[in-house]
Amino acid sequence: MAKITKVVARQVFDSRGFPTIETEVFCRNISSKAICPSGASTGVHEAIELRDNDAKRFKGKGVLNNIKLINSLIFDALAGLDVRRQKDIDQLLIDLDGTEQKKKLGANAILAVSLACTRAAAKSKNQTLVNYLFNNFHKEKKPGKIEIISSKNMTTKRDLALAYSPGVAAPVKEISENPEAAYDYTSKG
């Protein structure tokens, strides 16, 4: 069993130079980190990304209050849980927050903790993250292949609109049978 023994969060900076949360989850002989970059969209139904709102620090975009929540309240709730029980961990985080838009803990804190737990679970089973997710959460449980589609090969305006990152991960078989499926994968992201 890979029980959570420690959760440590720290403020780091994302690719745009904004403060964000890095969380490290420790089990007996492993640890894994995850960073939750800040989102650019601000839809009315979107989960809330909590910030410190201290104008003297990073124009109010600091995340030290989130760090305190993760290192205390969230760790206390997760201590001793098996890191491989992802659905239970995620439900616990949702319940601990208790709000529809994650206004208490912040989606940024919840996601950083959840992903660090997932990475630790994969590591505890000696699997890559992609293989762990496929083996534990894919509905059909058929062997799959994930390939990175280079955005450099995209030529039309629509293709370029999809190229929001250096590469897009998508199941190869489905894309090769139906090239439009690439849009489905990237538009959901």
Side-chain angles (χ1 to χ4, degrees):
M1 207 183 273
K3 291 187 178 184
I4 297 170
T5 58
K6 189 175 178 182
V7 177
V8 176
R10 54 190 72 85
Q11 180 174 275
V12 295
F13 298 93
D14 70 13
S15 62
R16 296 179 296 161
F18 294 130
T20 192
I21 301 167
E22 178 185 71
T23 300
E24 187 168 8
V25 171
F26 295 83
C27 298
R28 189 171 56 110
N29 56 350
I30 60 168
S31 72
S32 284
K33 297 177 187 177
I35 295 175
C36 183
S38 59
S41 65
T42 54
V44 294
H45 300 291
E46 190 169 317
I48 303 297
E49 177 184 72
L50 289 184
R51 297 292 181 164
D52 294 343
N53 296 320
D54 178 355
K56 295 177 185 174
R57 296 191 69 254
F58 305 110
K59 298 182 181 180
K61 293 190 177 279
V63 291
L64 294 181
N65 291 332
N66 300 68
I67 304 300
K68 289 176 189 172
L69 282 171
I70 293 170
N71 290 339
S72 58
L73 181 70
I74 292 176
F75 167 66
D76 291 344
L78 295 179
L81 292 180
D82 187 334
V83 77
R84 296 169 294 188
R85 302 207 43 177
Q86 187 68 43
K87 290 180 183 178
D88 293 338
I89 289 168
D90 287 346
Q91 190 60 54
L92 187 146
L93 292 168
I94 290 166
D95 293 344
L96 193 60
D97 180 88
T99 67
E100 186 67 26
Q101 290 184 286
K102 314 302 174 256
K103 294 178 181 178
K104 181 179 174 187
L105 300 177
N108 45 347
I110 291 170
L111 289 172
V113 171
S114 178
L115 184 54
C117 287
T118 305
R119 288 179 181 214
K123 200 180 258 189
S124 77
K125 289 193 167 197
N126 226 8
Q127 295 178 6
T128 65
L129 180 60
V130 169
N131 286 335
Y132 176 78
L133 291 172
F134 183 84
N135 292 331
N136 290 280
F137 300 104
H138 193 271
K139 292 177 186 173
E140 295 178 22
K141 300 272 184 182
K142 292 180 185 175
K145 182 178 173 187
I146 302 290
E147 186 172 301
I148 300 299
I149 301 169
S150 173
S151 59
K152 292 177 184 174
N153 297 332
M154 299 181 175
T155 56
T156 68
K157 282 186 178 181
R158 181 174 173 206
D159 290 339
L160 294 174
L162 299 178
Y164 62 89
S165 65
V168 177
V172 173
K173 186 175 185 222
E174 186 171 345
I175 300 299
S176 64
E177 291 173 0
N178 177 14
E180 290 292 310
Y183 179 75
D184 292 337
Y185 282 95
T186 57
S187 64
K188 291 176 187 173

